[in-house]
Amino acid sequence: MKTSPSFPSPKLLGVFKTFGVFGPAYQVIDAVRQLADGDWMMRVRLLETSEEVEYRYTHVLDDPKVA
């Protein structure tokens, strides 16, 4: 059984990460809402386009920080 992630850590706000190892970079902006499965939707800003999109918290946790 998978456990639900806790509320997104404020330490992640402002952090720069990439979508997977080779994906584009993004910045974590804030937590938007909790989902029915316990995960959270986060707002992230794509660095290349400045577009803001929603992305799952569990994916943010798995993505590497920008070096």
Side-chain angles (χ1 to χ4, degrees):
M1 177 194 269
K2 191 174 181 180
T3 60
S4 298
S6 60
F7 184 78
S9 171
K11 293 179 183 179
L12 280 176
L13 302 182
V15 171
F16 293 92
K17 292 192 158 214
T18 60
F19 293 106
V21 178
F22 301 108
Y26 65 89
Q27 181 181 23
V28 180
I29 303 300
D30 62 5
V32 178
R33 68 184 173 284
Q34 189 170 26
L35 303 172
D37 65 0
D39 201 353
W40 286 81
M41 288 305 289
M42 304 293 292
R43 184 180 1 260
V44 300
R45 180 178 298 124
L46 307 177
L47 295 185
E48 291 179 7
T49 63
S50 296
E51 178 183 9
E52 292 186 5
V53 298
E54 292 184 358
Y55 191 51
R56 282 183 170 265
Y57 177 58
T58 51
H59 295 313
V60 170
L61 293 176
D62 290 339
D63 287 341
K65 288 185 179 180
V66 172

